[in-house]
Amino acid sequence: MLKAKILFVGPCESGKTVLANFLTESSDITEYSPTQGVRFESCWPALMKDAHGVVIVFNADIPSHRKEMEMWYSCFVQQQSLQDTQCMLIAHHKPGSGDDKGNLSLSPPLNKLKLVHSNLEDDPEEIRMEFIKYLKSIINSMSESRDREEMSIMT
């Protein structure tokens, strides 16, 4: 069985923990409480080691989050030589914030990435299905890579 290491990164208060818990069915959606997480950039290389994918979560309603996304993409995707297909953007809409999907334009290179809107209050299953599709693509890529490696050993 293949195991994939997927990182959830993004600005503070963007919804990373709530989404990760929901997608892994770890807990019910509860009130916000800040996650300690890894707030220091000096720890990031250890986190990134052997990562197969990166999910960048941001709150689309906070303008500064959109500006920060390029930094997250640069550090966690480009500098790790991951493919764009290994990255997913989630525009998380917190309960009661509305769900303005049509008003989000991203600059290059972010506009090439898979962008999914999440609203756990209105349509929780949509984000679950999108994440499963993303995870399947990561697993397929890992499987193909493993198969190529095995073939190169045998030849």
Side-chain angles (χ1 to χ4, degrees):
M1 177 198 254
L2 290 174
K3 289 186 178 183
K5 180 177 177 180
I6 308 292
L7 304 178
F8 276 66
V9 301
C12 294
E13 295 187 40
S14 58
K16 299 177 296 290
T17 301
V18 169
L19 278 168
N21 286 342
F22 172 76
L23 292 169
T24 60
E25 300 176 351
S26 296
S27 70
D28 292 330
I29 301 166
T30 59
E31 288 184 25
Y32 176 74
S33 72
T35 307
Q36 275 308 100
V38 181
R39 304 272 186 234
F40 305 106
E41 289 184 38
S42 60
C43 299
W44 290 359
L47 263 180
M48 293 183 264
K49 185 176 176 5
D50 300 326
H52 300 103
V54 175
V55 176
I56 302 173
V57 181
F58 66 102
N59 183 332
D61 303 319
I62 300 176
S64 64
H65 281 199
R66 292 187 197 188
K67 292 178 185 147
E68 281 186 55
M69 285 187 345
E70 287 185 33
M71 182 275 300
W72 293 103
Y73 175 76
S74 174
C75 290
F76 284 88
V77 180
Q78 289 179 321
Q79 291 178 21
Q80 300 308 306
S81 299
L82 294 178
Q83 301 297 315
D84 285 347
T85 55
Q86 293 172 276
C87 182
M88 177 180 188
L89 297 177
I90 298 181
H92 184 59
H93 300 271
K94 295 187 176 186
S97 70
D99 193 1
D100 187 12
K101 292 182 182 181
N103 198 13
L104 187 61
S105 62
L106 301 172
S107 59
L110 299 174
N111 63 351
K112 297 181 293 183
L113 302 174
K114 171 77 172 169
L115 170 65
V116 178
H117 289 263
S118 77
N119 186 324
L120 299 181
E121 193 173 60
D122 293 346
D123 194 358
E125 288 312 306
E126 180 182 355
I127 188 64
R128 188 185 310 276
M129 302 293 18
E130 290 292 340
F131 183 73
I132 288 170
K133 282 194 272 186
Y134 166 74
L135 195 54
K136 282 181 180 177
S137 74
I138 296 291
I139 297 295
N140 286 340
S141 176
M142 291 170 59
S143 179
E144 289 169 6
S145 177
R146 184 184 64 186
D147 291 348
R148 280 192 304 273
E149 190 176 313
E150 288 174 358
M151 289 303 289
S152 71
I153 291 170
M154 293 188 328
T155 55

